Amino acid sequence: MTEHTLKTIRDTFFKQRLVLDTNLLDSEKHMIQADTTFPIQGYLQVVDHLRFTLKERSIANCNTWYACVDDIQLLRNGQVLHDLQSSAQKGHGTSELCRRPPIIWDPSPNFSSRNGTPIRRIILHCTTIDLVTSVLNWFHHPESHVSAHYVVARDGKIYHMVRDADKAWHAYGENADSIGIEHVANVHEHLSPPQEQAAITLIKWLMSEYKIPPYAITGHRFSPSHQEDTTCPHHLFGDETEAALRAWVTKNLS
């Protein structure tokens, strides 16, 4: 008789839905320690996750879960299978779009409800200051009345400050259906190499997660309904023109 077993190789979340960990309710995810094994009776790889059904026990009264394939091994009769392929191994194409980069959860109190409005686009920003600690501290202050969903630092670290399901306050008049991404830089700086790579990976993940087409990636000043006098995102993508931003999107995200 063939026995299939799932083994965690690092601490990871088992998830009831295939979305970002930070967008799940506490009741929809369960932290599993490394080197824990579970007999399973069925499985299916879905992009960079494995959907599986537990055989002998449930977790939180649920038998079917998702786990990131980078965090688990699949065994048949005690032997490791190599059927699972991580998004990093698959290379380019749809699977690459779904690769989730490392993200640091650092919540801001500045957010509100989307009131059911679906996410349709991504708005890119430049912080205008080049110290990530200053940006994070400002977004932590309730009196600042500003925030972004993500902040990408010069060294490539990504900070997640507002859940995607909530409305961050990053572009007045544009917040309801958008995800805002701030890039740490002064007004004259381009993206640094590690920052650019992190931004590309993050945006590709979000595009795949929310079915956002390349034409719906824009800069703050170029978003159609913005109600502020701004030149953001400044020189992040070359010169300050929309053509420079569109060329960057075409090169890296199309």
Side-chain angles (χ1 to χ4, degrees):
M1 179 181 294
T2 301
E3 296 286 343
H4 286 98
T5 305
L6 182 149
K7 179 182 179 181
T8 56
I9 58 176
R10 58 178 62 89
D11 292 352
T12 189
F13 278 114
F14 283 5
K15 306 188 291 187
Q16 292 184 14
R17 294 187 291 128
L18 192 54
V19 299
L20 286 170
D21 303 344
T22 50
N23 288 340
L24 290 167
L25 301 173
D26 289 342
S27 61
E28 295 179 309
K29 59 187 177 183
H30 194 82
M31 176 58 73
I32 305 295
Q33 293 184 338
D35 297 319
T36 306
T37 58
F38 298 88
I40 60 174
Q41 57 185 4
Y43 66 90
L44 174 69
Q45 183 164 356
V46 183
V47 193
D48 57 353
H49 280 66
L50 188 76
R51 183 179 186 271
F52 58 93
T53 302
L54 299 173
K55 183 176 182 180
E56 297 178 354
R57 57 175 168 144
S58 63
I59 300 173
N61 296 317
C62 181
N63 286 86
T64 300
W65 295 85
Y66 292 90
C68 179
V69 297
D70 294 324
D71 299 338
I72 61 175
Q73 287 180 333
L74 188 62
L75 297 89
R76 179 188 295 137
N77 296 334
Q79 299 297 313
V80 176
L81 296 178
H82 298 285
D83 297 352
L84 302 182
Q85 194 174 22
S86 72
S87 53
Q89 293 171 322
K90 289 181 180 179
H92 300 289
T94 303
S95 59
E96 177 69 14
L97 295 181
C98 296
R99 183 164 64 90
R100 178 181 183 269
I103 294 173
I104 301 166
W105 176 238
D106 191 6
S108 166
N110 302 328
F111 64 90
S112 52
S113 173
R114 292 189 187 273
N115 293 318
T117 303
I119 296 168
R120 299 188 181 95
R121 55 203 172 115
I122 296 172
I123 298 178
L124 307 178
H125 300 266
C126 172
T127 61
T128 73
I129 54 177
D130 52 13
L131 289 175
V132 67
T133 52
S134 298
V135 176
L136 300 179
N137 287 339
W138 185 236
F139 287 174
H140 286 152
H141 282 297
E143 59 269 24
S144 72
H145 300 291
V146 291
S147 62
H149 292 93
Y150 298 90
V151 175
V152 184
R154 301 294 290 174
D155 62 3
K157 290 180 180 175
I158 301 171
Y159 299 85
H160 192 183
M161 304 200 72
V162 174
R163 293 191 333 140
D164 297 356
D166 293 321
K167 181 168 64 175
W169 303 340
H170 59 96
Y172 186 68
E174 301 276 354
N175 293 322
D177 66 348
S178 65
I179 287 178
I181 303 176
E182 288 278 2
H183 301 81
V184 178
N186 65 42
V187 296
H188 303 294
E189 289 179 310
H190 301 332
L191 294 168
S192 71
Q195 184 179 40
E196 181 173 44
Q197 187 55 57
I200 291 168
T201 305
L202 172 64
I203 296 168
K204 283 183 174 181
W205 161 265
L206 293 170
M207 290 172 69
S208 176
E209 187 78 4
Y210 299 108
K211 306 298 184 287
I212 297 173
Y215 65 77
I217 314 296
T218 189
H220 187 179
R221 69 181 293 196
F222 308 120
S223 51
S225 303
H226 83 274
Q227 300 177 19
E228 299 162 287
D229 183 13
T230 179
T231 55
C232 175
H234 304 289
H235 290 89
L236 279 180
F237 306 101
D239 59 38
E240 291 187 321
T241 65
E242 186 172 12
L245 173 62
R246 296 259 58 89
W248 185 87
V249 169
T250 299
K251 176 183 177 182
N252 296 292
L253 303 175
S254 297

